[in-house]
Amino acid sequence: MKNSFIYVTLISIAVISFPYAYGLDIIATLEKDPFGPNDWIRIFLEIEDYAGGEVNWSVTFPDGATDSGVLSSLSGGKTTHTISRNAFDNQFGDWSIQYVYKNITKTVPIKVEPIVVDIIFDKQSYQSGDEAVITLNTNLFEPQAAKAESFYIQVLDSEGSPALHMDSTSLKAYKASSVYEISIGELLRNNPVGEYKISVQYYNTFNEAKFKTSEPEAQFTIFIGTDKSIYDPGDIVEVNLVISKLIGNNAILTVTDPTGKNTVRSFQVGNSLSRVILDDVSTTKPGTYVIIIEYAGKSQSQTFVVQFKGTISSEPELELGISLGKGQYRPGEALTASITTDRLIADNASYWFQNPFGSEGIKISIPTTSGSWEISDIVPNDAVRGPWKFYVDYGGAVRYAIFFIEGEPVEQTIIGQSITKEGPEISLTIDSSTTNLKKPRGIAIDTNGDIFVVDSGNFEIKKFDSNGRLMSSWGSFGSDEEQFKNPTGILLESEFIHVADTGNSRIQTFDKNGKFVRFWGKSGIRSQSMVSPVSVAMSDSGIYYVSDASLNKISKYEANGDYAGHIESIDTAAAKFSSSDHLAYDNNGNLLVLVSDDNRILQFSSNDKFIKSFGTIGEEDGKFLNPSAVAIDSKGILYVADSGNSRVQVFDPERKFITAWGSLGKGAGEFSEISGIAIDSIGNVYVVDSQNNRIQKFVPLDQAVVLEIPDWVRNNAKWWNEGTIEDSDFSNGIQYMIEQKIIVIPKLGKSNVESAQNIPEWIKNNAGWWAKGSISDQEFANGIEYLVKNGIIRV
């Protein structure tokens, strides 16, 4: 150790370290025994019969390293030997210092206490809704908080990787015991139930402690149903499984036939509603079969019967399929069902509901004019939570589908309302099957069409060509150059790539080949430093703007990384934010700031002045649920990754809703957790799905038909709703405008039959609400689509 200093002090002190020797001798007295973790080493030396000259010294540290030096000019044969150090050197344990004067040698043993960091949980297992209270005890602290060093705390998963969306935290060590809390609900919102670790760094000392998360059995319910209750011998059985809350990915299914033979299989559970085809189960033996599902430590059973045809009640042989809009609804929400059949055998069908207790509701009759039709209804606000059945009877053929009612009631939903599911055509999919993607986040496209992806779970940046072939990748876990902790956002420039290295509180800059250039955002001045940066954008003037998940401001930096000020949260309802997420610039130089927690987007001018905000929580068009990213195309069209609603929403430059697509799932055009979105130079839309570990590329929106309804049609809708014009006049007018392409509805289809049925009252109500601006164009279009599909309007 070369940073030693010599202090000479004339001092009178009692000697307690070594016995006195007659004649020439070295007496060494320790200032402390032992020394503390952060103490300098001070030894008081006295040379008996000192005759001038130097004293040589050498030290051996606990890790085996050595250092040496010379003490000269001992006044009266006395001096204080000081070795400066601190706890960052990690030299804890046994030291040995040797002094040599003339022909006398003295070896002095020294002990330095290690840093102790004890991690104590208030309990070892937690459930969603708990707050984990963690006490950090240490033997080294500084009572003046301004001078105290900090604990650096991070939540790691069972493999040692940072838990998703759980930022690292610092906590000043200004007392012997410090308390830190973790929201288990926040942890489990983006991470699975299981075992986790708290990692604490204090100086260069690290410690970890494990804790577990679990779900109480009462918090989820399993319901099993089959597509029929009675089967012919040899039929294939379809099992419908509904789970109110997903806890794991695997389930075990056991089928016991009438002879006692068991067939066991495991399967993946990816959604609350799963369908399992029992094509490996023989149903040739008549009798009762028992199905048992085991999932997350809980089991549920159901039965079905196989009988010979001669004993089965007569039922028309036809295909009758039911497809619900989704597997789980909230009270007050609109439920939609699509019904299909391969034969037309009746003019009417009826439907009804059965609650979890087996009570059936009123049967509602509807006309049927084709082989497919839709049913819309409202889940009652007071509906019992649990598994429900939706029954359809068509010409004596009875089928049902299972869904689950869970959650708080929603505002009254307009019948006929639905979220658009079909979007532009998918032209490319990049997934984990060939590229080992793991929790991808940010995405950016360069002018050559090359795709840059932040592969957060692998702590890498991956570069693909325009055909999805992996070209290169770089990065690993850590805090050095080209290492990341929970990277999120990415920004491309003509020469550089900037990555938000969230867990390391910095932005890393690379060239286009992935060569490290520099990192910035950690100036050492707290007010100018990042904490949890998640997105970076660049203004026309070359200033970088950085959003931070832990700060209520947008920080600004010069091209060289120097701090240049910030946009601060304004204390008004419209402009206030406690943290910020994704950033993007529109074509007018305005900065868009996505605030996911508030489900809205803030807009600031080029000189950082607040302009407006838009968006609120909800499932309707123009409303958001935990949006994660935004992107602007060359025409100023805004794309919002509405992650909580599993869709992409599109708005014109005036922020008027245009369209939306997507739904929850793993299929093409479906999403589980949208984490990033980007638009290339020709308008292709790239959507990152961190839960499905894939990227889907959609063709430009202008290659798809977009909903268009002129505003002047509102007058016709208003007059019709008020009774000024007849139903026939309104439907004929709408039919003419569709045929003349004045009204354009995507994927409307054609009506092949003509119906004399009356227009349902709910469509007239929708028209009135649309005329007043209470519902969106898409909701009004749903009513027109119903008229076309049911032959009331022929196109």
Side-chain angles (χ1 to χ4, degrees), residues 35-72:
F35 288 94
N38 205 43
D39 288 342
W40 287 11
I41 306 300
R42 285 190 176 91
I43 302 172
F44 304 110
L45 282 181
E46 181 179 357
I47 309 296
E48 292 285 345
D49 294 334
Y50 178 65
E54 298 175 336
V55 177
N56 295 294
W57 63 269
S58 62
V59 59
T60 301
F61 301 106
D63 64 358
T66 61
D67 196 4
S68 60
V70 175
L71 303 176
S72 57

Side-chain angles (χ1 to χ4, degrees), residues 347-361:
D347 296 328
N348 293 277
S350 60
Y351 73 91
W352 66 96
F353 296 91
Q354 184 185 88
N355 69 19
F357 306 115
S359 300
E360 296 185 350

Side-chain angles (χ1 to χ4, degrees), residues 222-228 231 236-242 251-255 265 267 272-281 283 289-294 300-304 400-402:
I222 300 173
F223 183 81
I224 308 171
T226 54
D227 56 333
K228 296 188 292 185
Y231 295 86
I236 294 178
V237 177
E238 179 181 299
V239 176
N240 296 305
L241 171 66
V242 178
I252 297 175
L253 180 148
T254 302
V255 180
R265 63 188 287 190
F267 62 95
S272 58
L273 174 60
S274 300
R275 292 183 173 88
V276 183
I277 306 299
L278 302 185
D279 50 3
D280 58 343
V281 175
T283 58
Y289 290 68
V290 179
I291 303 171
I292 298 177
I293 300 287
E294 297 176 69
Q300 188 64 270
S301 63
Q302 179 63 282
T303 62
F304 64 89
Y400 69 85
I402 302 169

